[in-house]
């Protein structure tokens, strides 16, 4: 079974509008971390935002916010006021386990976001 | 403070040759991870190393692939007798000594391997 699911292979959004990128995850570990990364066409991986499983509030970083619904095991990324430079691949990732510090990340397949002028 | 360095950025090899990819973690980081990204796919974990130790190599192919992180110098991912299916982007990430479960991994720019 896939640990991280991103059901939207591609998304379009008009410049200046908000967009939500979906991510659902699967884990039985009570302690885990959820991350979003952006990969522009140049190829580098850029960290965007983090949400811990015990965090009471949804994470926010500038125009990025994470809609964390723990019971539904979803961690959707919301980008407000989209800009042309937001066009990129977006990956959701999870790290499991408070006992397994340093464990690797599991990545989803990604969503390609295209911002239209 | 320089980020994670990877070299070369692009590597072309013919089938049967060896590919050697290097990764220098961020200063102060003692944990290194290698990931592989096939075209149009997400990153797949390969191996996690600390200095002179392989901690988790569950994502490494059983043959032809090896990794090391010596006491001095960069981490090396070595692919022997490369085949066309090895063509991919290989990313290295590093993190500080992990004391909490929300430690971010910092990614390098990747090495794009093309096997002819």
């Amino acid at each position: 079974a896939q640990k991280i699911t991103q059901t939207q292979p591609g998304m379009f959004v008009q410049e200046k509008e908000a967009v939500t990128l979906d991510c659902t995850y699967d884990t039985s570990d009570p302690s885990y971390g959820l991350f979003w990364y952006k990969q522009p066409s140049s190829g580098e991986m850029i960290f965007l935002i983090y949400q811990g499983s015990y965090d009471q509030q949804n994470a926010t970083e500038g125009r990025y916010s994470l809609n964390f619904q723990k019971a539904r095991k979803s961690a959707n990324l919301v980008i407000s006021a989209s800009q042309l430079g937001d066009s990129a691949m977006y990956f959701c990732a999870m790290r499991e386990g408070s006992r397994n510090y340093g464990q690797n990340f599991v990545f989803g397949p990604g969503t390609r976001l295209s911002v239209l002028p | 403070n320089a980020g994670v360095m990877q070299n070369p950025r692009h590597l072309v090899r013919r089938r049967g040759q060896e590919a050697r990819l290097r990764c220098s973690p961020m200063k102060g980081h003692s944990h290194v991870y290698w990931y592989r990204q096939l075209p149009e796919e997400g990153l797949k974990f390969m191996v996690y190393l600390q200095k002179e130790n392989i901690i988790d190599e569950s994502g490494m192919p059983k043959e032809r692939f090896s990794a090391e992180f010596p006491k001095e110098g960069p981490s090396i991912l070595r692919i022997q007798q490369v085949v066309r299916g090895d063509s991919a982007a290989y990313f290295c990430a590093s993190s500080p000594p992990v004391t909490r479960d929300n430690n971010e991994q910092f990614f390098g720019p990747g090495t794009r391997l093309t096997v002819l």
Side-chain angles (χ1 to χ4, degrees), chain A residues 95 99-104, chain B residues 30-34 45-60 66-70 75 93 95-98 105:
Chain A
R95 164 184 275 155
R99 294 183 185 177
N100 295 312
Y101 291 144
Q103 280 286 345
N104 57 284
Chain B
S30 56
H31 296 228
V32 166
Y33 310 78
W34 285 94
F45 167 75
M46 299 182 75
V47 63
Y48 159 42
L49 310 104
Q50 296 178 22
K51 288 279 187 182
E52 300 184 281
N53 278 309
I54 297 175
I55 307 302
D56 181 355
E57 57 181 345
S58 58
M60 286 279 271
S66 63
E68 62 177 7
F69 188 16
S75 175
S95 70
V98 184
Q105 292 183 7

Side-chain angles (χ1 to χ4, degrees), chain A residues 31-33 35 37 39 42-45 47 50 54 91 95 97-98 101-105 107-109 112, chain B residues 9 31 33 35 37 40-43 45 48 56 91 95 98-105 107-109 112:
Chain A
S31 179
Y32 51 89
F35 300 76
Y37 284 85
Q39 187 178 43
S42 52
E44 70 268 33
M45 295 290 287
F47 166 74
Y50 163 81
Y54 294 120
F91 293 99
R95 164 184 275 155
S98 57
Y101 291 144
Q103 280 286 345
N104 57 284
F105 282 10
F107 282 84
R112 184 175 297 282
Chain B
R9 295 290 304 275
H31 296 228
Y33 310 78
Y35 295 84
Q37 184 181 31
E40 301 301 317
E41 293 188 12
L43 279 68
F45 167 75
Y48 159 42
D56 181 355
F91 286 92
S95 70
V98 184
T99 56
R100 50 196 174 93
D101 60 4
N102 63 342
N103 273 80
E104 176 193 342
Q105 292 183 7
F107 282 82
R112 274 140 191 89

